[in-house]
Amino acid sequence: MAAGVAAWLPFARAAAIGWMPVATAPMPVPPQEKRRGKDGLIVLNVSGTKFQTWRDTLERYPDTLLGSTERDFFFHEDSNEYFFDRDPDIFRHILNFYRTGKLHYPRQECISAYDEELSFFGIIPEIIGDCCYEEYKDRRRENQERIQDDEEADPGSELVSPDLSFRESMWRAFENPHTSTMALVFYYVTGFFIAVSVLANVAETVPCGAAPNRAKEMSCGERYALAFFCLDTACVMIFTVEYLLRLLAAPSRYRFVKSVMSIIDVVAIMPYYIGLVMTDNEDVSGAFVTLRVFRVFRIFKFSRHSAGLRILGYTLKSCASELGFLLFSLTMAIIIFATVMFYAEKGSSASKFTSIPAAFWYTIVTMTTLGYGDMVPKTIMGKIFGSICSLSGVLVIALPVPVIVSNFSRIYHQSQRAEKRRAQKKTRLARIHAVKSGGANAYLQYKRSRLLIGPDQEVTVETLMFLWVLHVFVLLAELRPNSLLHAEDWLKPPHNHEFLDEKTFETNLREVTLVKQVSRSSSISSASSPHGFTSCCSRRKRKTFNVPNSNMSVGLQDSIQELSTIQIRERPLTNSRSSLNAKFEETVPLNCEQPYITAAVISMPTPPGTTPEGDDSASSTDYSQANIVRVSAL
Amino acid sequence: QLAVKSNISLQQKQHLVEDELELSAVRHRPEGLEQLEAQTRFSRKELQILYRGFKNECPSGVVNEETFKDIYSQFFPQGDASTYAHFLFNAFDTDHNGSVSFEDFVMGLSILLRGTVQEKLNWAFNLYDINKDGYITKEEMLDIMKAIYDMMGKCTYPVLKEETPRQHVEVFFQKMDKNKDGVVTIDEFIDCCQNDENIMRSMHLFENVL
């Protein structure tokens, strides 16, 4: 019974007079309600905000906190009111529930905070009104997913507990390559061999020219059969070992064997073993060739390495109904149009539309707007229906596709958000730790040291490919001595998120210095370089910093502060850019780690100490010192 | 241009009229508390409580038949209370304008809960007399009986048969219709009820309802 209607109870009872005279038996006595207290105002003080309502309003729902005697626990004698130390904004909605009988969910509130308040006041969320229920459920589902994601991610970012058995640690290494260097090596090695295997499969079909003792042109696979066989064997060895290791390490072997990835692994290596077992018989060689096709499934092994591929697979799986619908509607349309075209073209002589199944090919090619042109209608009716066919094809295909696309987008963004959350969580925890341990000072230093570094991103197959292309490009550029390549383009990269891996970072910097050497006439903008350089090395500096040649004290905090002050100081001093360029040549040995020293040596043709021209000594010392600092900032 | 203007103004007027009708329904306010206190037998506090409940369920200030049926059905979910609610509505709606205002409501309640036995019986007679002609015919009684049985639904013991309302009406008429003219007048009704102990006892039960 709705709350408001309860107020009409006297009326309902009074209306009983209607059947009273016709009743043959005396009326039963109405249940005597327990004598309620005088209906008065109740003051509810929620964290300072005072709410007032009638006592009866609250007692409409006796199974909640406010409606039952449980509220007496919160009675505050001094002020003669009920005090609750909870959120007043959310309490407003709860009180409205008592007044109107409908619980609303405010969109701007956090779902978990709202849930907590509801459970505190003893109200079940199921009574949320229809107007807000859908929104509530959606938000709740999102929250659950987020919690699940975090739980799944946690094992990866946990500290290694020493009491993990060898099997468990191996499994962790397989599932999360970032945990140890061995795992990372294994990850990259398998990735490399997958690529090699796939490339070999592709290359062995390329025609290689005729062998000396044969007239016919052969494919590379036939010509260098032994080499390809050895390569294939090596790859299959690695894959087999990997599969067996995974099988060994899996916590639930049965579940592992059932999983998609393991099936792909098996399908990838089986053809080889079957080929070994089978004899070189004429009958079975046809089957053998078919088996070779399965070798291409090795490329699916990349999905362990690429999250994007996994997402694509997951999307297709979750869009199964849309894909099914697409297939079904296409099949219907194909059959209809093939039939129509067949009968339309029946009259025409030498028509290619020999049967309805033959017309299927035409219909498919037309509906997907391919239009190969091998089958073309010749009659007028045929042409008319052909054009209707192509128009409808566009429509039928275009309809389910956006659904699939939006599904993919949703899942992709979800995984991106999960990644971002994980990264944010890491940085947040680190910051909180910094604040808690060192106070504000440590926090500020931490912030400065991570000035221009963006959020962490994992090194994926895609980023590796990008880096590889980048290296090739740089090498090509380097080979041309007179290139007008501007170094500032290369000085900007430290803003990038990709260069977190030590190896790649280092190689990138080496190239930067190489490029610098090459382009002497480049206009290194003074504005950009300090930024770039500081950020380049500031990250390195988190580990070690040593400036023996300067009078600056050793120590992380001071050096960074000095750096920043020097930065500020040197900007007004810059006169000419060319002089700056010259200074770069007279650099002192770098004080950063080993690789940087070698790089600096390369870029330093003239010994230090040559007096600069056109500057007075005071500023020159400043400059040199500044330069020391700046370059050492490398 | 003038024609357009007049057209628009005509439409506006129409809308205004419709709005006014709605607004007038929305803006209905009961007479002052003192007046109602004088007219009914409720105390000030009781009127306040009644009005708050009334206004909560019907913010517009009047109840139309649909809402009335709705509210009443919530009290009797096991059967179909709409027919009985219809008769009740007509009984409450003393000025027969299709809506029950707070005054009608409160006055009806005042009679039912605080009135004399005579007044209550009068009210009951009014309820049974569907066409308000002063006589209860067998057909009217049958309608009422059917409505009551519908409202009770399947939750009766023993289970009712089809002819039970008719039989019940027969019994009633035999009891009430003294001069056997086929109709029951108000005097016959009041007379008969006052002589029936069961009915008298039941009447007294209403006093503690509010």
Side-chain angles (χ1 to χ4, degrees), chain A residues 7-16, chain B residues 68 71-72 75 88 92 105 109 209:
Chain A
W8 288 60
L9 192 60
F11 148 72
R13 291 231 176 103
Chain B
F68 200 84
I71 295 169
Y72 206 70
F75 287 104
L88 259 185
F92 267 102
F105 178 70
L109 271 187
V209 171

Side-chain angles (χ1 to χ4, degrees), chain A residues 167-418:
Chain A
R167 180 174 161 183
E168 283 169 7
S169 61
M170 210 161 58
W171 180 249
R172 261 189 72 234
F174 282 138
E175 292 298 299
N176 302 299
H178 319 282
T179 47
S180 70
T181 333
M182 261 313 285
L184 211 58
V185 162
F186 184 76
Y187 178 77
Y188 285 131
V189 161
T190 45
F192 174 70
F193 272 99
I194 296 172
V196 159
S197 164
V198 168
L199 282 175
N201 283 345
V202 166
E204 72 181 6
T205 60
V206 171
C208 249
N213 55 348
R214 292 264 206 109
K216 192 168 64 107
E217 176 139 352
M218 299 162 56
S219 67
C220 281
E222 286 169 7
R223 197 154 170 199
Y224 304 104
L226 191 61
F228 277 107
F229 180 72
C230 292
L231 195 60
D232 203 22
T233 312
C235 292
V236 169
M237 284 293 119
I238 303 254
F239 296 153
T240 317
V241 162
E242 183 206 348
Y243 181 70
L244 288 174
L245 279 178
R246 273 184 207 263
L247 188 63
L248 193 70
S252 160
R253 297 218 171 103
Y254 177 62
R255 213 159 52 100
F256 173 72
V257 169
K258 271 199 312 182
S259 73
V260 175
M261 286 311 301
S262 94
I263 291 176
I264 290 177
D265 287 336
V266 168
V267 168
I269 59 179
M270 265 337 225
Y272 178 80
Y273 289 113
I274 295 179
L276 277 184
V277 165
M278 260 191 330
T279 59
D280 201 3
N281 209 347
E282 279 301 313
D283 306 329
V284 294
S285 68
F288 183 59
V289 165
T290 321
L291 271 179
R292 281 183 154 213
V293 168
F294 280 99
R295 288 191 308 177
V296 83
F297 278 90
R298 286 177 197 167
I299 205 170
F300 283 118
K301 286 165 71 69
F302 264 130
S303 54
R304 274 215 185 90
H305 299 254
S306 162
L309 208 56
R310 278 198 298 269
I311 290 174
L312 190 60
Y314 182 68
T315 308
L316 289 175
K317 196 166 65 149
S318 70
C319 293
S321 68
E322 279 82 28
L323 285 173
F325 166 68
L326 176 64
L327 212 59
F328 177 67
S329 57
L330 266 180
T331 313
M332 256 181 25
I334 286 171
I335 293 176
I336 291 173
F337 279 107
T339 316
V340 165
M341 289 306 296
F342 171 72
Y343 284 113
E345 285 286 304
K346 202 155 179 217
S348 140
S349 61
S351 135
K352 289 238 177 72
F353 294 80
T354 51
S355 64
I356 293 185
F360 280 167
W361 174 244
Y362 168 77
T363 322
I364 292 174
V365 165
T366 314
M367 281 185 89
T368 53
T369 69
L370 276 175
Y372 286 137
D374 54 349
M375 278 168 87
V376 172
K378 291 194 173 46
T379 60
I380 294 186
M381 285 311 289
K383 286 187 179 160
I384 291 176
F385 285 117
S387 43
I388 296 175
C389 173
S390 68
L391 287 173
S392 67
V394 169
L395 272 179
V396 168
I397 291 180
L399 286 177
V401 167
V403 177
I404 297 172
V405 165
S406 80
N407 248 356
F408 177 77
S409 159
R410 179 178 59 84
I411 294 170
Y412 182 73
H413 282 304
Q414 216 173 337
S415 93
Q416 289 292 87
R417 270 206 310 269

Side-chain angles (χ1 to χ4, degrees), chain A residues 3-150:
Chain A
V5 181
W8 288 60
L9 192 60
F11 148 72
R13 291 231 176 103
I17 198 168
W19 60 84
M20 198 198 45
V22 300
T24 43
M27 294 270 289
V29 180
Q32 201 57 254
E33 278 175 24
K34 65 170 171 70
R35 254 317 59 192
R36 312 172 291 174
K38 207 162 53 75
D39 186 23
L41 279 177
I42 289 189
V43 181
L44 300 161
N45 188 347
V46 183
S47 305
T49 313
K50 290 214 175 126
F51 295 89
Q52 290 178 319
T53 182
W54 296 109
R55 180 172 287 122
D56 280 353
T57 314
L58 291 182
E59 283 171 4
R60 280 188 201 148
Y61 298 97
D63 54 348
T64 59
L65 188 152
L66 290 172
S68 62
T69 52
E70 197 181 340
R71 66 168 184 250
D72 294 335
F73 287 101
F74 297 93
F75 188 68
H76 192 62
E77 274 91 16
D78 301 344
S79 44
N80 206 30
E81 60 191 13
Y82 293 88
F83 183 78
F84 296 94
D85 203 6
R86 312 290 299 187
D87 187 359
D89 295 329
I90 298 181
F91 185 77
R92 190 170 63 84
H93 298 280
I94 290 171
L95 198 54
N96 277 337
F97 163 64
Y98 284 94
R99 292 175 181 145
T100 61
K102 278 197 277 220
L103 183 61
H104 293 281
Y105 170 62
R107 267 152 227 251
Q108 76 274 13
E109 294 291 346
C110 172
I111 184 79
S112 41
Y114 190 74
D115 269 342
E116 271 173 29
E117 295 294 312
L118 282 187
S119 66
F120 178 83
F121 285 103
I123 298 173
I124 48 170
E126 271 66 30
I127 39 180
I128 290 182
D130 287 336
C131 43
C132 302
Y133 194 63
E134 204 180 311
E135 168 86 18
Y136 173 78
K137 272 291 166 198
D138 282 343
R139 291 278 288 267
R140 205 157 186 205
R141 194 173 33 87
E142 275 174 28
N143 205 36
Q144 287 293 101
E145 280 170 8
R146 182 188 61 81
I147 293 172
Q148 259 179 347
D149 279 344
D150 283 345

Side-chain angles (χ1 to χ4, degrees), chain B residues 180-209:
Chain B
K180 306 289 175 219
D181 56 355
V183 292
V184 177
T185 62
I186 182 141
D187 302 311
E188 284 176 343
F189 183 74
I190 292 176
D191 238 355
C192 178
C193 284
Q194 277 179 322
N195 295 336
D196 190 333
E197 273 182 25
N198 284 341
I199 295 175
M200 282 300 111
R201 213 177 305 144
S202 311
M203 284 287 178
H204 290 295
L205 291 171
F206 285 97
E207 278 153 29
N208 296 327
V209 171

Side-chain angles (χ1 to χ4, degrees), chain B residues 19-83:
Chain B
D19 283 355
E20 244 176 25
L21 278 177
E22 266 201 63
L23 279 175
S24 64
V26 170
R27 274 192 275 116
H28 179 89
R29 286 197 185 96
E31 306 163 14
L33 203 50
E34 289 81 16
Q35 267 181 297
L36 278 177
E37 226 184 325
Q39 286 171 0
T40 65
R41 296 199 186 87
F42 289 121
S43 73
R44 209 179 169 86
K45 260 206 147 43
E46 286 166 339
L47 280 173
Q48 281 180 336
I49 295 173
L50 278 173
Y51 187 65
R52 267 184 247 141
F54 184 85
K55 184 92 178 168
N56 218 5
E57 199 58 29
C58 320
S60 58
V62 290
V63 199
N64 57 5
E65 192 162 334
E66 287 307 311
T67 326
F68 200 84
K69 282 187 182 165
D70 222 6
I71 295 169
Y72 206 70
S73 308
Q74 295 193 27
F75 287 104
F76 294 94
Q78 71 272 19
D80 178 23
S82 49
T83 337

Side-chain angles (χ1 to χ4, degrees), chain B residues 142-155:
Chain B
L142 192 59
D143 283 338
I144 299 263
M145 200 63 74
K146 276 214 202 119
I148 294 175
Y149 276 96
D150 282 340
M151 184 173 65
M152 299 302 171
K154 302 275 182 286
C155 304

Side-chain angles (χ1 to χ4, degrees), chain A residues 436-505:
Chain A
K436 277 195 182 156
S437 59
N441 241 355
Y443 179 65
L444 281 173
Q445 277 157 34
Y446 176 80
K447 270 200 89 159
R448 232 180 257 133
S449 70
R450 292 179 63 84
L451 242 181
L452 297 159
I453 307 296
D456 294 11
Q457 240 183 329
E458 51 172 296
V459 183
T460 59
V461 168
E462 293 92 3
T463 53
L464 277 180
M465 281 184 65
F466 167 74
L467 285 174
W468 181 75
V469 167
L470 193 68
H471 291 183
V472 166
F473 188 48
V474 166
L475 281 170
L476 287 174
E478 184 215 348
L479 288 172
R480 294 190 287 161
N482 297 323
S483 74
L484 291 172
L485 203 59
H486 294 283
E488 60 221 82
D489 295 338
W490 298 107
L491 293 180
K492 287 219 168 91
H495 285 265
N496 260 344
H497 307 314
E498 273 103 13
F499 306 124
L500 293 184
D501 189 309
E502 304 230 341
K503 188 171 60 135
T504 55
F505 196 86

